[in-house]
Amino acid sequence: KDNIDFSGLARVSHSTDATDWRVEHPILVLHPDNEAEIADLVQACIELDLTIIPRGGGTGYTGGAIPLFENTVVINLEKLETLGPVRQQTLPGTKQQVSVIDAEAGVVTRRVSDAAAQQKLAFAVDPTSQDASTIGGNIAMNAGGKKAVIWGTALDNLLHWKMVTPDANWLEVTRLDHNMGKIHEQETVRFEINRYARGSGPAQGSKELLEIPGAAFRKVGLGKDVTDKFLSGLPGIQKEGCDGLITSSTFVLHEVPEFTRTLCLEFFNQDVGKDVSAIVEIKDYIDTTDGVMLAG
């Protein structure tokens, strides 16, 4: 009963996110204790004819967590905060062993970065909101950050994720042949999709293999293309909760350079075109320089 909240405070605080837009108050807020509860909760909401909104840290600027109808339930996933240790795993489809980390949807992004840093590794997803945003939201929004210039966004660094679909069943996605780099630089990107019935039921059908040309993920010249929400049918990522509720994930971690330096640029002329050209020229130069990487 402590996790089913009809209070005015809960309803008001879950009626908006970082946008500060408000349309309707949700009818109630749910705070599940663990991942296993999510599918049954979604099924109960379906039976009650409630609109469902998944919510993490509430740091989004697109309005994805804002209720539009009164009969809405917000499922707050902040209690799903299990963060595993950095571990070694062989990348599925390859013989390469890399460092990875497991994180549930409610883990605050900064905690993952700190855990990686303690092992002298880098977690590539570092949005400005990382002190408050959560992993589930990072996946749902395909979050980026400064390190995205080097290693890409959440999409590029995910190895595995688990979610509950809008029909209250389980779906797991595993990336095969991970290139440990930007996804659009790989000729063909493969994902294995498994669907499971609620509870301990059998798998629903056989495994599905999704094969997508890497170039399909990004427009040429863009580090992140937010216009393509469909992402060639890849479930969960960049869908802002529309495909279901992300519950847990595994990310790859990266080796970091021995030394880091910060370069600060200031521009004082009125010609923005020259400013941009200067930045592009610097990036092009560093891209052709061995042993040097550029974050933004």
Side-chain angles (χ1 to χ4, degrees):
K1 64 181 181 180
D2 292 336
N3 293 348
I4 304 173
D5 200 340
F6 287 92
S7 73
L9 177 60
R11 294 175 63 209
V12 168
S13 61
H14 287 76
S15 65
T16 189
D17 55 13
T19 62
D20 207 29
W21 299 336
R22 289 173 175 81
V23 180
E24 279 285 358
H25 296 311
I27 195 169
L28 81 157
V29 180
L30 297 175
H31 298 270
D33 281 322
N34 56 64
E35 183 179 43
E37 294 178 346
I38 307 297
D40 288 333
L41 281 178
V42 171
Q43 179 59 31
C45 292
I46 291 171
E47 292 171 4
L48 293 167
D49 197 26
L50 293 170
T51 297
I52 301 169
I53 291 181
R55 181 185 173 98
T59 61
Y61 281 107
T62 61
I66 294 174
L68 301 180
F69 308 100
E70 187 177 7
N71 67 329
T72 296
V73 56
V74 173
I75 301 182
N76 186 314
L77 300 173
E78 288 177 317
K79 286 188 178 182
L80 273 61
E81 55 180 3
T82 300
L83 177 64
V86 174
R87 60 183 178 85
Q88 294 296 303
Q89 179 176 331
T90 301
L91 293 176
T94 77
K95 295 181 179 179
Q96 183 183 3
Q97 268 215 340
V98 299
S99 298
V100 302
I101 193 165
D102 305 307
E104 286 191 329
V107 174
V108 173
T109 313
R110 173 71 74 179
R111 288 183 58 207
V112 186
S113 293
D114 289 348
Q118 287 174 7
Q119 303 296 321
K120 297 184 178 179
L121 296 166
F123 178 53
V125 183
D126 62 343
T128 308
S129 60
Q130 64 179 321
D131 288 311
S133 66
T134 56
I135 290 298
N138 295 156
I139 297 170
M141 300 299 297
N142 188 16
K146 299 179 294 300
K147 300 190 190 81
V149 180
I150 305 173
W151 294 299
T153 61
L155 167 66
D156 306 75
N157 293 279
L158 273 163
L159 186 60
H160 174 269
W161 63 100
K162 189 174 180 180
M163 57 190 289
V164 174
T165 58
D167 59 0
N169 289 306
W170 289 100
L171 184 151
E172 289 188 76
V173 184
T174 302
R175 183 171 168 188
L176 307 177
D177 315 319
H178 202 294
N179 66 344
M180 293 300 291
K182 294 177 181 175
I183 197 166
H184 60 274
E185 294 175 352
Q186 194 166 4
E187 184 175 352
T188 302
V189 185
R190 299 193 305 145
F191 297 91
E192 183 180 275
I193 299 176
N194 284 289
R195 299 177 187 273
Y196 301 92
R198 204 166 51 257
S200 57
Q204 298 175 337
S206 58
K207 295 177 181 178
E208 176 186 346
L209 186 64
L210 196 60
E211 292 188 326
I212 306 168
F217 284 102
R218 300 236 161 84
K219 289 183 179 178
V220 176
L222 290 185
K224 177 183 176 183
D225 179 9
V226 297
T227 64
D228 179 16
K229 288 292 180 187
F230 185 60
L231 277 185
S232 301
L234 184 63
I237 300 180
Q238 203 163 290
K239 305 300 197 303
E240 300 183 42
C242 294
D243 280 358
L245 290 82
I246 308 287
T247 59
S248 59
S249 62
T250 302
F251 281 86
V252 298
L253 302 174
H254 299 275
E255 301 288 337
V256 295
E258 186 178 359
F259 303 105
T260 58
R261 295 288 184 270
T262 300
L263 174 65
C264 183
L265 306 179
E266 293 189 66
F267 297 99
F268 298 99
N269 64 68
Q270 300 299 311
D271 187 350
V272 176
K274 289 182 178 178
D275 302 345
V276 173
S277 296
I279 294 170
V280 171
E281 201 170 317
I282 290 169
K283 185 179 185 303
D284 287 345
Y285 174 74
I286 291 180
D287 284 347
T288 60
T289 305
D290 290 338
V292 181
M293 295 188 293
L294 177 70

